Amino acid sequence: MVAVRVALRAGRDLRGADGSLAEMAPDRPNVLLVVLDTARADSVGSGRDTAFAQLTRRGREYSRAVAPAPWTLPSHASLFSGLRPGLHGVTGASVLTTTGVHSPRQRIEELADHWLPMDLKRRGYATFAASANPWVGEAVGLTQGFDTVFAAWRHAPLPKLSDPLSGTSRSGLAAKIHAAEVYARRTMGIGDAGAATSLDAFDRFRTGLDGGAPYFAFFNVMEPHAPYAPPRGHDALELRRRPAAIKAVRRWNADRMLAYCMGRQEILPDELDLLRELYRGEISYTDAWLARLFEGLDRRGHLEDTLVIVTADHGENLGEHHLLSHVMSMHQTLLHVPLAISGPGVPAGSVSAPVGLTSIRDTVLAAADGEWLDPAGTGPVIAEYESASAQVSGARPIDQRVGDITPQLRERLRARWTAVYDGAWKLVSATNGEEHLHDLEADPEEANDAATTEPQVMERLRALLPAAADSDGLDPDQRIHDVLDAEITSHLEGLGYL
């Protein structure tokens, strides 16, 4: 990938017929990075009138973007560091242990020399983060480098908890009243998971800025994450059907979801349809939130001079492959994420080559230095899963969550998984010996395994896999740091991580 230094003289058109060159703004652009937590690529931007679709028309869409990991913690660490999970070591294996949920803050501090918010601070940017996900917060360390951090999950009318009684510091009557309020809001479709309050916090941040400094603003928008409870008007459910839908959401708590993924419990088709409808509603509301965000930038005259990046940290399983949520899987339903970039100097168009989110850091830093650096074309695109065992077991032994499991399944859960992409091909390889090969153009649903019929492709993609020595970031004893407090761990439990 070659960075193209573009002239900064106003009025000079450097864009070629292929759109490969463009003119950067003479001043450093503001940077806006939005992560739609748990948003599948096939769910975002459908229809020409969506805010995401309009963003792609203003700028550049990447139709085959790949998340670096299938869940929040390692994916965000890769997004900010530009390193894949096996190198940065901020993974479930480092924090989810039988002795509690530990903070990777010390490890993240060691990454400060190539941590995107720190990089931009050193370039004179004011930095802001709003997160509705407790994984992406100060206690964990992922918000290192942000001047202002707004913990939206603490101010959400509809906290993302499978049971509102868990994850609350209230007790007795106050807890019951709180639970009733949350359940009523979900049923009536009132409120959100912190997206609206994040916009308010962003407005306060911008109001307090020194007029001469550019800013870097980051949002983690939690609406698409389970439990699904979109505001009314963003799903096709009639009010009379919403109580049944919310009941279906509450019924599928973390342990029942794991039992389903392991084939020990089934979900009725009508319940699955309700979950999918509510998920689509959350995506619809998220797009409406994006429209509000863009309108606010436009009113202030900042939309055209802001580098805007919208993506997701991972997707979501909605019954495909007999899986729910985002555990135990390296399928495209989890790894294929939306990605669109617009702003000064960004050439218009659509890119169909695979691109990893680990490239975003360099693209942002290039823009801050007056360059356009396309995140596509950097070589092999790799995603990693440190093992399902840590994430599935969390801070509790797996047998306590789902009962006895076979030795074969236990070995599969403990395996580390790697997916590598080359053109239309995707190879998934695990340390337990499993390998799966898919032609994503001919077989986008990954229904047919070509591992035995395409030996030459297998060998080519095997050569792209990282060395086994790269698959671990740190010695386990060096990973154990402060245990996260009860309030945060209870929220993580409500989200299905523990």
Side-chain angles (χ1 to χ4, degrees):
M1 176 169 48
V2 178
V4 180
R5 173 72 62 176
V6 295
L8 302 181
R9 290 173 295 186
R12 182 179 174 190
D13 184 8
L14 295 181
R15 184 172 300 180
D18 62 354
S20 59
L21 297 181
E23 185 173 352
M24 296 298 294
D27 298 321
R28 291 173 298 167
N30 296 319
V31 178
L32 175 64
L33 173 59
V34 178
V35 172
L36 309 178
D37 203 300
T38 320
R40 292 164 51 137
D42 62 3
S43 68
V44 176
S46 58
R48 288 185 54 83
D49 294 331
T50 64
F52 185 83
Q54 292 172 18
L55 177 66
T56 64
R57 292 196 293 274
R58 287 200 305 270
R60 200 162 181 83
E61 180 180 18
Y62 298 84
S63 59
R64 293 190 56 199
V66 176
W71 70 289
T72 295
L73 179 65
S75 190
H76 276 81
S78 290
L79 186 65
F80 288 151
S81 69
L83 302 172
R84 51 188 179 76
L87 293 177
H88 63 60
V90 184
T91 65
S94 68
V95 300
L96 298 171
T97 76
T98 55
T99 59
V101 185
H102 300 268
S103 173
R105 175 188 291 274
Q106 181 175 329
R107 175 55 177 159
I108 293 172
E109 290 174 352
E110 295 170 358
L111 298 170
D113 287 345
H114 44 101
W115 192 254
L116 180 59
M118 296 293 291
D119 291 325
L120 291 172
K121 274 178 66 73
R122 287 188 284 266
R123 285 166 168 79
Y125 277 71
T127 53
F128 166 88
S131 170
N133 190 330
W135 276 126
V136 189
E138 293 179 288
V140 176
L142 283 178
T143 53
Q144 172 184 222
F146 287 103
D147 300 317
T148 302
V149 178
F150 178 70
W153 59 275
R154 296 181 185 274
H155 306 276
L158 291 178
K160 282 288 184 179
L161 301 173
S162 55
D163 182 348
L165 279 174
S166 66
T168 176
S169 58
R170 302 171 178 86
S171 60
L173 180 61
K176 293 180 181 179
I177 292 174
H178 173 71
E181 288 177 345
V182 171
Y183 181 73
R185 282 178 172 271
R186 286 181 178 164
T187 303
M188 296 298 294
I190 302 172
D192 65 15
T197 55
S198 292
L199 284 184
D200 295 337
F202 182 44
D203 284 340
R204 292 193 295 271
F205 165 76
R206 288 186 299 182
T207 300
L209 281 178
D210 180 347
Y215 63 77
F216 169 48
F218 162 78
F219 290 88
N220 173 284
V221 183
M222 198 66 170
E223 265 61 26
H225 197 291
Y228 319 126
R232 286 187 65 194
H234 291 277
D235 59 58
L237 296 175
E238 300 174 358
L239 180 59
R240 63 182 178 83
R241 295 184 63 206
R242 287 189 67 86
I246 301 303
K247 182 178 179 181
V249 169
R250 296 184 71 197
R251 166 178 161 79
W252 287 97
N253 60 32
D255 288 351
R256 285 177 176 164
M257 177 270 295
L258 291 177
Y260 173 79
C261 292
M262 294 183 182
R264 295 189 162 201
Q265 189 164 349
E266 292 303 318
I267 178 170
L268 297 175
D270 60 339
E271 282 188 305
L272 190 55
D273 288 342
L274 287 173
L275 293 177
R276 289 170 174 163
E277 186 59 53
L278 289 174
Y279 178 80
R280 286 192 289 267
E282 293 280 32
I283 294 292
S284 171
Y285 178 66
T286 299
D287 191 82
W289 177 89
L290 277 177
R292 288 181 57 196
L293 175 63
F294 297 156
E295 288 167 3
L297 289 174
D298 201 22
R299 281 196 306 271
R300 291 173 177 256
H302 289 174
L303 186 59
E304 296 302 320
D305 61 10
T306 297
L307 182 74
V308 178
I309 303 173
V310 177
T311 187
D313 54 346
H314 56 80
E316 184 82 322
N317 286 312
L318 296 169
E320 301 90 350
H321 313 288
H322 208 277
L323 294 169
L324 289 173
S325 187
H326 40 279
V327 297
M328 300 174 58
S329 174
M330 291 289 275
H331 293 101
Q332 289 297 93
T333 45
L334 295 193
L335 297 181
H336 185 199
V337 293
L339 175 61
I341 305 177
S342 75
V346 179
S350 179
V351 177
S352 59
V355 55
L357 298 190
T358 50
S359 301
I360 294 298
R361 173 180 173 268
D362 287 343
T363 294
V364 171
L365 295 181
D369 293 338
E371 300 174 344
W372 164 244
L373 189 63
D374 199 314
T378 60
V381 175
I382 296 173
E384 293 175 303
Y385 194 8
E386 69 274 7
S387 79
S389 182
Q391 192 187 1
V392 169
S393 61
R396 286 186 288 158
I398 191 170
D399 293 349
Q400 291 183 12
R401 301 194 70 174
V402 297
D404 293 335
I405 60 176
T406 65
Q408 181 180 10
L409 179 55
R410 188 180 299 277
E411 181 182 2
R412 193 171 194 273
L413 290 174
R414 289 177 174 172
R416 293 192 298 269
W417 293 79
T418 303
V420 62
Y421 295 75
D422 184 36
W425 290 101
K426 172 189 177 184
L427 170 65
V428 178
S429 178
T431 54
N432 69 342
E434 286 190 50
E435 289 185 309
H436 307 284
L437 181 68
H438 299 283
D439 180 347
L440 297 178
E441 288 186 1
D443 181 27
E445 296 182 356
E446 301 172 283
N448 303 307
D449 192 344
T452 59
T453 60
E454 296 288 346
Q456 292 182 332
V457 177
M458 284 289 291
E459 289 306 309
R460 187 173 80 245
L461 268 70
R462 279 176 181 150
L464 301 177
L465 291 168
D470 291 340
S471 62
D472 221 25
L474 290 173
D475 182 274
D477 291 339
Q478 296 176 332
R479 294 185 175 128
I480 305 304
H481 305 300
D482 296 337
V483 176
L484 296 179
D485 66 36
E487 182 183 14
I488 293 176
T489 55
S490 63
H491 275 264
L492 295 176
E493 182 178 0
L495 293 172
Y497 291 106
L498 307 176

